[in-house]
Amino acid sequence: MAITRSTDLSLRLDRIACEGHGACAELLPELLSLDEWGFPIVHSATVPPELAAHARRAVAACPVLALRLDRTRP
Amino acid sequence: MTAESVHESTRPLPTVPGDGSAPGPHGTRLLSGWFTSGRAADLADHLDRYGPLPLDRARRGGRGGPAPLIHAVEEAGLTGRGGAAFPTARKLQAVADGRGPAVVVANAMESEPASAKDATLLQLAPHLVLDGIALAAEAVGAREAHLCVARTRQHQVHELHAALAERERHRVGGVPVRLHELPHHYVSSEESALVRWLNGGDARPMSTPPRPFEKGVGKRPTLIDNVETLAHLALIARYGPAWYRQAGAPDAPGTTLVTLGGAVRHPGVYEAPMGAPLGRLLAHGGGPSEPLSAVLVGGFFGSWLPADEALPTRFTKQDLAQLGAGPGAGVLVALPERACGLAETASVLAFLARNGAQQCGPCRFGLPAVAEDFAALAFGRLDPDGLRRLERRVGLLAGRGACRHPDGASRFAATALRTFAAEVERHLHHGPCPAVDHAPVLHVPTGSVPGADEWR
Ligand SMILES: Cc1cc2nc3c(=O)[nH]c(=O)nc-3n(C[C@H](O)[C@H](O)[C@H](O)COP(=O)(O)O)c2cc1C
Ligand code: SF4
Ligand code: SF4
């Protein structure tokens, strides 16, 4: 069983705000890809610690602030 | 929908005790007044049958103790009748536990085109629904309540205004209820759309969280329930959970309203025990009128099942989930063998594609693309590559919108491809069958994509 540490992060995508710019998927291909119209497919919302830096960069790259990183509640 | 659509059998009607605690004719509860009197219940009829509003039973214990009504609803095992069959007591408790005074919203929008049960209930027994609103409000500590109806149903609006005025005149009690007329689109009835509209915005779904029970109308904890759910709650408050469980099955207690359509002898709205096999539910409407190929369970938000799989399956959340279906809002449409399931599906998908709120990627692009490919499969030509593309796109709709509209469309399309697999093969190799020219079984509303100004 996986133990959720208080440092675990999860991705939260606001589907209404998202405009399909696709910048996020380029920076975080391990967790995000794009459909044929450029809208993200979230493969896993849980961000493993080794991807935290990439995830932060992806969040910062979204021009409409549709992507966020939340602390997973323990 | 009119009262005429509720069908009476030719059996003699047993008499019902005045307190309403015994089931009415044919096991009815919500609709027993109609079966014994043959008319819509006004306030006097309602009070004669069920007695006064038992507000004291809903009242919370001292110092924020739990309301006995919430406990009773939990014991009764009541689940939501708006689509998701979520345990009603869990929602009541979450709202009651929220911070500050709560708000109650009754969902009477009934946007599902194949359903007529909410309109029928509101026409025949409006005071049961209004009692349910008052009791739920008392139980969660709400000081205001809202009843949301579709603006297009002016007849219903007038009747409900009259019923509310009647209660006011006779001081029935409970929180004031405001009636709201919302734009009528397929997704304007989704719960976050109601909240957004009541907060002064468009009746379009919002991104969640926060969910309405946390932060809804006026940022307050908000209980949103289907009107039928609230009517059951009003009976549980009066007669208790043991009485409630006398109907239905241990794992699916109580009765439920179903709308039967398609190839049944007497289409219409019926009240039936939960947990009965679908074949038995269809028998309430006289059974199939001709040989069936499939049953649509849950309406446009539902699933196609092959008739031989569907008919013996029990109407419970768990049994239906094993077949990739759910009780939804209680719609059962019997598809006759002569009809083309692919053509029916294509028309519904086109409707669902027109009726997204045009906010999220799947609704703006994925759903129209799926509808287009499905139309080619049903009415024109689609090659095997096209079919693979269709299947891939159907698989990419679910879980990718702010609300569950794309999930519903995905399930509708996926269950059609499975249930009508033989027809898919035939259409792929020989094009449409002659059945596509028959009159459709499902009545699919026409109309175009709502304009940006049509959501307020
Ligand atoms: C696209 C969409 C349309 C919906 N339409 C209705 C509706 O017309 N009436 C309704 O009661 N619930 C509808 N719902 C479900 C509501 O969001 C909500 O879950 C329900 O009103 C809760 O009531 P219940 O717990 O009593 O079932 C819809 C949901 C979705 C995703
Ligand atoms: S960068 Fe932002 S807007 Fe673009 S696809 Fe990703 S989440 Fe959507
Ligand atoms: S998924 Fe579709 S219907 Fe739901 S909020 Fe997004 S655009 Fe609107």
Side-chain angles (χ1 to χ4, degrees):
Chain A
M1 209 184 95
I3 297 166
T4 315
R5 277 155 298 176
S6 59
T7 49
D8 275 359
L9 297 171
S10 62
L11 281 175
R12 198 153 98 196
L13 175 59
D14 182 335
R15 304 278 182 179
I16 293 179
C18 169
E19 286 175 356
H21 294 290
C24 54
E26 236 166 82
L27 293 165
L28 195 58
E30 295 87 349
L31 303 181
L32 299 173
S33 61
L34 299 177
D35 69 13
E36 58 197 288
W37 299 281
F39 285 84
I41 300 166
V42 182
H43 297 285
S44 161
T46 311
V47 182
E50 62 274 19
L51 288 177
H54 291 273
R56 274 192 204 97
R57 237 170 287 149
V59 165
C62 174
V64 292
L65 309 181
L67 201 58
R68 282 182 39 187
L69 266 181
D70 277 353
R71 234 165 251 298
T72 313
R73 269 168 231 176
Chain B
M1 198 71 197
T2 62
E4 281 74 40
S5 58
V6 178
H7 292 276
E8 234 170 313
S9 105
T10 47
R11 273 174 286 165
L13 301 180
T15 49
V16 179
D19 71 353
S21 63
H26 328 310
T28 56
R29 291 171 164 184
L30 302 178
L31 300 182
S32 63
W34 158 256
F35 280 108
T36 40
S37 72
R39 63 191 153 90
D42 62 13
L43 185 58
D45 295 334
H46 173 76
L47 293 173
D48 275 354
R49 175 170 302 276
Y50 300 110
L53 183 66
L55 273 182
D56 49 324
R57 285 193 216 155
R59 203 148 288 152
R60 296 209 259 186
R63 299 203 163 266
L69 177 59
I70 299 182
H71 188 64
V73 168
E74 184 178 7
E75 295 272 291
L78 177 63
T79 52
R81 302 291 200 261
F86 189 81
T88 305
R90 289 239 297 272
K91 231 155 64 169
L92 286 163
Q93 194 60 55
V95 174
D97 289 344
R99 230 190 247 187
V103 177
V104 168
V105 176
N107 193 345
M109 297 286 288
E110 193 163 49
S111 69
E112 171 58 54
S115 177
K117 56 115 180 161
D118 292 337
T120 302
L121 174 65
L122 286 165
Q123 187 187 10
L124 299 181
H127 293 286
L128 268 185
V129 174
L130 299 174
D131 279 1
I133 296 174
L135 293 162
E138 194 70 34
V140 300
R143 298 205 196 120
E144 60 178 83
H146 306 275
L147 173 56
C148 295
V149 303
R151 193 178 289 161
T152 44
R153 301 191 184 121
Q154 280 303 308
H155 188 66
Q156 185 182 60
V157 170
H158 289 306
E159 287 179 347
L160 288 173
H161 271 305
L164 286 168
E166 224 182 344
R167 292 170 83 87
E168 187 104 345
R169 261 199 320 279
H170 292 92
R171 299 181 198 289
V172 170
V175 292
V177 177
R178 281 185 59 195
L179 186 64
H180 301 269
E181 303 168 40
L182 274 66
H184 184 38
H185 307 301
Y186 191 70
V187 300
S188 63
S189 51
E190 191 271 340
E191 58 183 21
S192 69
L194 304 185
V195 168
R196 191 167 168 185
W197 194 90
L198 289 166
N199 283 337
D202 282 354
R204 290 202 256 198
M206 288 187 295
S207 291
T208 53
R211 303 274 311 276
F213 74 85
E214 304 165 299
K215 206 188 254 190
V217 178
K219 300 198 176 152
R220 282 179 289 159
T222 300
L223 178 79
I224 303 178
D225 272 323
N226 172 261
V227 285
E228 184 196 339
T229 311
L230 292 164
H232 286 294
L233 179 144
L235 293 182
I236 292 168
R238 285 181 163 94
Y239 309 124
W243 167 84
Y244 185 76
R245 286 182 165 274
Q246 281 167 19
D251 58 344
T255 61
T256 191
L257 297 179
V258 291
T259 310
L260 306 182
V264 286
R265 286 210 175 78
H266 308 292
V269 173
Y270 298 86
E271 185 173 359
M274 288 284 288
L278 301 195
R280 190 101 55 79
L281 295 183
L282 291 185
H284 281 255
S289 53
E290 55 183 299
L292 306 182
S293 61
V295 178
L296 174 60
V297 184
F300 291 19
F301 200 73
S303 308
W304 288 105
L305 299 178
D308 55 351
E309 262 180 49
L311 298 180
T313 299
R314 294 169 66 236
F315 194 73
T316 73
K317 190 174 178 171
Q318 300 77 10
D319 291 58
L320 288 167
Q322 284 176 7
L323 302 181
V331 171
L332 295 178
V333 182
L335 191 75
E337 271 174 2
R338 68 183 156 82
C340 174
L342 297 179
E344 302 287 339
T345 303
S347 309
V348 170
L349 287 173
F351 169 85
L352 296 175
R354 289 195 293 276
N355 281 278
Q358 311 302 325
Q359 303 184 114
C360 310
C363 272
R364 281 159 65 193
F365 301 103
L367 197 39
V370 161
E372 202 174 302
D373 279 342
F374 219 105
L377 175 64
F379 305 116
R381 278 326 274 257
L382 192 71
D383 56 26
D385 277 347
L387 180 64
R388 276 191 289 276
R389 181 181 62 215
L390 171 62
E391 286 170 335
R392 180 170 38 97
R393 287 171 171 174
V394 165
L396 278 179
L397 288 176
R400 294 189 53 234
C403 81
R404 295 178 51 76
H405 183 55
D407 305 55
S410 170
R411 191 175 48 182
F412 193 88
T415 56
L417 291 174
R418 184 172 70 89
T419 299
F420 307 118
E423 287 87 337
V424 170
E425 276 301 304
R426 236 181 5 250
H427 280 236
L428 273 186
H429 296 110
H430 310 289
C433 48
V436 296
D437 298 326
H438 284 179
V441 173
L442 288 165
H443 301 284
V444 179
T446 52
S448 46
V449 177
D453 57 344
E454 289 178 64
W455 293 93
R456 180 61 215 172

